[in-house]
Amino acid sequence: MDKSIGENPGHAATYYAASARDKRIRPSLEGELNADICIIGAGFTGISAALQLAETGYSVIVLEADRIGFGASGRNGGQIVNGYSRDLDTIAKRYGPDRAARLGEMSLEGGMIIRERVAKYGIECDLVDGGFFAAFTDKQVREMGEVRATWQKHGHDGLEMVSGSEVSQYVKADRYVGGMIDRLGGHIQPLDLVLGEAAAVESLGGRIFENSKVIELDTGAQPYVRTEHGMVRAKFVLVCGNAYMNGLAPKITEKMMPVSSQVMATEPLDAKLIEELLPANYCVEDANYVLDYYRRTADNRLLYGGGIGYGGQDPANLTGVIRPNMLKTFPQLKDVKIDYAWSGNFALTLTRIPHIGKLSDTVYFSHGDSGHGVTTTHLLGKILGEALNGQMSRFDVWSSLTAYPFPGGRMFRVPLTALGAWWYGLRDKLGV
């Protein structure tokens, strides 16, 4: 694997930033520019939309406050998990069967978009197929079976149930009583993916400016976006900042909460050991409400994530939060060194369904993928691009899903949400 582990200024000190294939720093915006579309945020949503629009022939400028993939897009677990943070049965009960059917039609598309772009643009991002959902209890196994039946109604035949005796084909751990595999799941180096997609945007004439924080957004008939040293005038603006909005567009941020998740990466392990722990090289996530997720990296590290911090607060000791959970799963790693530990924020909505819509006739937005961002950001970025090209049908489905502010306002939304998570976590521990 042709990678150089090293410094990557402007990024958090993650394994992804250190091992990224492309460490180029793009220039900051200076002066006044014009474009068909200006996009705020160079994460998966913004870059996915930019690529969709650039492929269609639009002139595109992307403004990023820090570095491409600085937020959740470059810090997540790197897992391609199909679907949404709420299952299709819940969506049907909340929004009706017709809209659930439409979302079901799109539910595999995010992963397909990733694979298509990796192939089309030759993006090197360590793509591996296959995902395993691990169950601690018979109740969780039954619930997975119900999810599988629902998915099959929507045309997803890639899910297979796994018995307790078969678990060791996917993960060598004694904690699980069964589970389910998704052959259309998978894993990637996420920062390499978004950087590869950004390079594809640039190859089509799009321009990306880093270290260009937006300080003013005009939503009028001729919108403009202002940074400290420059301005972009455009026909349309897309707001794709997710959990890193920094006070921009309060009408969006009041309906989402930044939530931190913690990840760590071990030192490179002996190839025989890592293959014994994860023999199929599938990514794994468990079925608890506050779940653990882990996978192999291309250089034989174990990347292990979990934990949650409502409001985006980071724990004082990242390794101290995650390592005990890793050792519950793999006690044989007790002497293994942890090379990297980091945290990153994702945007959570009250409904756990992404919030997509308009601030005006010229300013569109998408955020709040609620922990399922790798696939849904690619889907929704594409849908934003379609909408600006006059194809509104899929955008209209998503924008019709009502979003609500968190109860308790800014002061109480964190403790109330944390209380709910504690309750569901207690139910997981009790197996009810």
Side-chain angles (χ1 to χ4, degrees), residues 352-389:
R352 273 52 170 182
I353 297 297
H355 184 199
I356 181 170
K358 296 181 182 181
L359 290 177
S360 71
D361 289 340
T362 58
V363 179
Y364 293 56
F365 67 86
S366 176
H367 76 270
D369 302 277
S370 300
H372 260 61
V374 173
T375 53
T376 52
T377 50
H378 281 84
L379 167 66
L380 297 177
K382 180 179 180 181
I383 289 173
L384 286 175
E386 290 173 353
L388 296 194
N389 196 41

Side-chain angles (χ1 to χ4, degrees), residues 137-313:
T137 65
D138 292 338
K139 175 177 179 285
Q140 291 178 345
V141 172
R142 289 194 301 272
E143 290 171 344
M144 286 181 185
E146 293 167 1
V147 169
R148 178 174 180 264
T150 300
W151 275 97
Q152 286 181 316
K153 294 177 185 176
H154 292 273
H156 184 2
D157 296 319
L159 298 173
E160 300 174 22
M161 299 304 295
V162 173
S163 67
S165 62
E166 296 170 321
V167 168
S168 61
Q169 297 177 30
Y170 305 98
V171 54
K172 195 67 175 294
D174 298 329
R175 306 181 73 191
Y176 310 123
V177 301
M180 182 172 67
I181 60 172
D182 182 0
R183 299 201 183 278
L184 298 182
H187 54 97
I188 36 85
Q189 209 278 33
L191 184 57
D192 275 346
L193 174 60
V194 71
L195 286 166
E197 292 173 312
V201 171
E202 293 169 325
S203 75
L204 297 172
R207 291 172 287 180
I208 302 173
F209 296 93
E210 296 183 314
N211 299 305
S212 299
K213 179 181 177 180
V214 173
I215 59 176
E216 183 183 358
L217 166 62
D218 180 86
T219 61
Q222 297 178 312
Y224 63 84
V225 175
R226 191 187 301 276
T227 68
E228 184 179 359
H229 299 293
M231 174 189 289
V232 178
R233 297 186 182 276
K235 298 174 183 176
F236 293 95
V237 174
L238 299 182
V239 182
C240 303
N242 262 287
Y244 291 82
M245 296 287 285
N246 296 317
L248 189 69
K251 289 182 180 179
I252 296 175
T253 54
E254 70 180 7
K255 295 180 180 178
M256 72 91 171
M257 181 196 303
V259 177
S260 70
S261 185
Q262 293 79 49
V263 190
M264 68 182 190
T266 68
E267 63 184 333
L269 304 179
D270 179 79
K272 184 177 180 181
L273 173 60
I274 193 73
E275 289 168 8
E276 178 184 330
L277 300 181
L278 295 166
N281 199 11
Y282 281 17
C283 60
V284 180
E285 70 171 58
D286 68 42
N288 281 344
Y289 185 81
V290 180
L291 55 83
D292 286 357
Y293 49 90
Y294 50 92
R295 64 182 183 85
R296 287 160 56 175
T297 67
D299 58 351
N300 292 331
R301 301 171 190 268
L302 179 69
L303 190 145
Y304 203 102
I308 202 162
Y310 293 107
Q313 294 88 353

